[in-house]
Amino acid sequence: MSEPRTLSALVVDYGGVLTTSLGASFAMFSEAEDLDRGHVQQVVLSAYDDGRPSPLHLIETGSVTLDEFEAELAARLRTRSGGTVEAQGLVSRMFAGARPDRRMLDAVRRARESGLRTALLSNSWGNREQYGFAHFDALFDAVVISGEVGLRKPDHGIYELMCRELGAEPQECVFVDDIVANIRAAAEVGMCGVHHTDTDTTLAELEALLGLPFTQPYGS
């Protein structure tokens, strides 16, 4: 019988985990700009016709600039009436509806104050300034952002790099992400994955795994 794992590190995604739903933000963006939401999703995730990686892959690995990504994305988008979309500031507009999830942020603070190592592992759309908050040092012992390291989730290499930066073995880490493929890849390298669908469920799961009172108000 294998020995139970000792979990001593909490690793979290940013968009959709430390923020409110990105899907809801994209829906607000689509409505504001007269876009079909399904069309937006298809454009963001579609591959180039000549077989190159998708625009999403390129921006997340830092292979193109934010301006280049926005120009490519805008060129592919059409409003319901067939009009064009302004490229400048496109990414900011897409994420404008997302807000910090204070309870999830407080959970990271509580984990770190309790002696757990904490890390941010995020696929980026642009540089660090796109994240809209300046709490990296206060919240995390390590920060790995895809565009800065040339790797992206769900590539195994980015999880392994994160563990090295954090000074933790994969088996010691709980990883929270809102995308199933990213959780599956984390589990393949040995991490304990938590699929984030809503804050209440995630906090209850973390409480059970890590033995900290995440479901109670922070500071209580």
Side-chain angles (χ1 to χ4, degrees):
M1 180 181 294
S2 61
E3 296 184 2
R5 66 166 73 193
T6 299
L7 297 170
S8 59
L10 175 62
V11 182
V12 295
D13 178 35
Y14 180 71
V17 174
L18 296 184
T19 75
T20 55
S21 167
L22 295 187
S25 182
F26 281 20
M28 292 171 61
F29 161 78
S30 299
E31 185 64 27
E33 309 225 0
D34 189 34
L35 296 161
D36 178 77
R37 184 179 175 185
H39 169 60
V40 174
Q41 182 177 10
Q42 181 182 15
V43 166
V44 169
L45 299 179
S46 64
Y48 285 107
D49 293 337
D50 61 7
R52 289 186 295 165
S54 71
L56 186 62
H57 185 122
L58 293 170
I59 187 64
E60 288 183 342
T61 56
S63 301
V64 295
T65 67
L66 179 60
D67 287 345
E68 290 170 333
F69 175 68
E70 289 183 326
E72 177 68 31
L73 202 58
R76 291 164 173 256
L77 289 170
R78 288 293 180 271
T79 67
R80 292 185 180 96
S81 58
T84 60
V85 174
E86 173 64 34
Q88 184 67 36
L90 178 57
V91 167
S92 293
R93 301 199 308 276
M94 293 176 77
F95 288 107
R99 297 289 182 266
D101 187 322
R102 298 299 178 187
R103 295 172 66 204
M104 288 300 302
L105 289 165
D106 286 345
V108 176
R109 291 189 182 94
R110 174 171 270 157
R112 197 178 192 200
E113 290 171 0
S114 300
L116 273 68
R117 285 166 287 182
T118 58
L120 179 73
L121 178 58
S122 175
N123 283 354
S124 60
W125 285 22
N127 56 33
R128 196 173 287 217
E129 285 69 29
Q130 293 294 121
Y131 287 74
F133 79 116
H135 306 309
F136 289 105
D137 293 339
L139 286 175
F140 304 111
D141 298 294
V143 174
V144 175
I145 295 174
S146 65
E148 297 179 355
V149 300
L151 296 165
R152 67 188 287 272
K153 297 174 292 185
D155 297 339
H156 286 185
I158 198 168
Y159 301 94
E160 294 162 352
L161 173 62
M162 187 281 305
C163 289
R164 292 195 298 272
E165 292 288 326
L166 191 56
E169 295 298 323
Q171 293 77 13
E172 298 176 296
C173 300
V174 176
F175 174 58
V176 183
D177 199 289
D178 60 327
I179 297 178
V180 171
N182 295 342
I183 292 295
R184 185 179 301 116
E188 289 169 355
V189 302
M191 301 172 74
C192 177
V194 173
H195 180 214
H196 180 78
T197 56
D198 65 84
T199 300
D200 286 337
T201 302
T202 293
L203 293 180
E205 289 192 50
L206 291 178
E207 189 168 284
L209 287 167
L210 297 171
L212 295 173
F214 291 114
T215 57
Q216 298 178 19
Y218 179 66
S220 62

